Amino acid sequence: DTEVTQTPKHLVMGMTNKKSLKCEQHMGHRAMYWYKQKAKKPPELMFVYSYEKLSINESVPSRFSPECPNSSLLNLHLHALQPEDSALYLCASSPTDGQGGYTEAFFGQGTRLTVV
Amino acid sequence: GQNIDQPTEMTATEGAIVQINCTYQTSGFNGLFWYQQHAGEAPTFLSYNVLDGLEEKGRFSSFLSRSKGYSYLLLKELQMKDSASYLCAVRGVNAGNNRKLIWGLGTSLAVNP
């Protein structure tokens, strides 16, 4: 299994809603990531989890809350989002090299989020 | 500062060869990645170079010169399905950014019949 699976594929939510994005991988990767991507822009790193611990938070607003329940799952909890948060949210995973680095990232297909 | 430059757009003909260049200036270097991304889809890994030279993988090859801060992705026997955005990304070497890729803005390649 070389896939990173994200659900849902599409999500429309109001500014007062609470929703969660889910990501799952069964490749034994111990590094998992959340990225945000706007149209015609490269992916923008949000969070990195290494061995189920949050290792990087790229100054993301608190209305985005990540969670890593175990080594295979990564969630992104959303609350009180703004229309400008509409984007493609990508999950990725990678094997670590034992020195805090990684060799490549496998991306999920993403969740297309629209905030209305 | 950290900077990755690649052309914004390129056009090529089906069956031809195209070379997409990437130059970088980063604080440390520990590998360069190329990804392909079709519109509305996730990036897919194409290649990884950490040593100088050419890495060949089927129709795709990637070259790296660390002394020049330069890489290229070579696509041979172009097919219509190769129309996509090609993203160059560099991994830094410092502990603070070792888990983080620095991305170029991508090159949008259009393959015409």
Side-chain angles (χ1 to χ4, degrees):
Chain A
D1 182 359
T2 57
E3 284 192 350
V4 176
T5 304
Q6 287 188 245
T7 55
K9 288 188 169 44
H10 301 275
L11 178 64
V12 178
M13 62 185 289
M15 289 188 283
T16 59
N17 291 161
K18 284 185 183 181
K19 296 286 185 184
S20 296
L21 309 184
K22 297 187 183 300
C23 174
E24 189 168 1
Q25 58 89 13
H26 295 287
M27 294 178 277
H29 293 169
R30 303 309 295 273
M32 296 186 75
Y33 314 77
W34 280 115
Y35 284 90
K36 171 182 177 180
Q37 188 176 27
K38 293 278 205 178
K40 299 190 187 301
K41 299 283 188 185
E44 182 184 334
L45 183 67
M46 300 174 73
F47 302 104
V48 180
Y49 272 83
S50 180
Y51 293 89
E52 295 93 73
K53 287 187 170 31
L54 183 64
S55 61
I56 294 180
N57 176 342
E58 290 289 319
S59 302
V60 179
S62 60
R63 57 186 185 269
F64 296 91
S65 175
E67 178 197 18
C68 189
N70 60 55
S71 60
S72 299
L73 294 174
L74 187 66
N75 298 323
L76 186 63
H77 303 299
L78 314 172
H79 174 54
L81 295 193
Q82 303 296 312
E84 58 264 30
D85 296 321
S86 298
L88 180 68
Y89 287 84
L90 295 162
C91 174
S93 72
S94 62
T96 53
D97 62 8
Q99 296 174 345
Y102 59 88
T103 53
E104 64 187 74
F106 293 84
F107 283 87
Q109 289 303 304
T111 294
R112 176 73 60 188
L113 174 68
T114 304
V115 181
V116 298
Chain B
Q2 310 206 80
N3 197 47
I4 296 182
D5 286 318
Q6 49 182 132
T8 305
E9 293 180 341
M10 296 184 72
T11 303
T13 304
E14 195 175 12
I17 299 173
V18 71
Q19 177 174 313
I20 303 175
N21 296 325
C22 172
T23 57
Y24 62 89
Q25 289 178 304
T26 57
S27 55
F29 176 85
N30 198 14
L32 185 143
F33 299 76
W34 283 97
Y35 287 87
Q36 179 192 60
Q37 187 173 25
H38 287 98
E41 298 182 9
T44 54
F45 170 80
L46 290 179
S47 68
Y48 170 67
N49 294 70
V50 67
L51 299 175
D52 290 352
L54 188 68
E55 295 278 343
E56 297 187 78
K57 193 185 289 187
R59 294 190 298 116
F60 292 10
S61 303
S62 57
F63 171 82
L64 175 68
S65 169
R66 288 171 295 171
S67 62
K68 295 181 180 176
Y70 167 70
S71 172
Y72 68 72
L73 180 69
L74 192 71
L75 293 76
K76 302 175 189 173
E77 301 169 15
L78 281 173
Q79 301 175 10
M80 299 297 288
K81 66 178 182 180
D82 297 328
S83 295
S85 181
Y86 291 85
L87 296 152
C88 174
V90 172
R91 181 175 74 171
V93 75
N94 298 330
N97 64 6
N98 200 25
R99 298 183 186 87
K100 181 176 157 183
L101 288 175
I102 304 157
W103 296 83
L105 295 180
T107 298
S108 180
L109 174 66
V111 179
N112 297 320

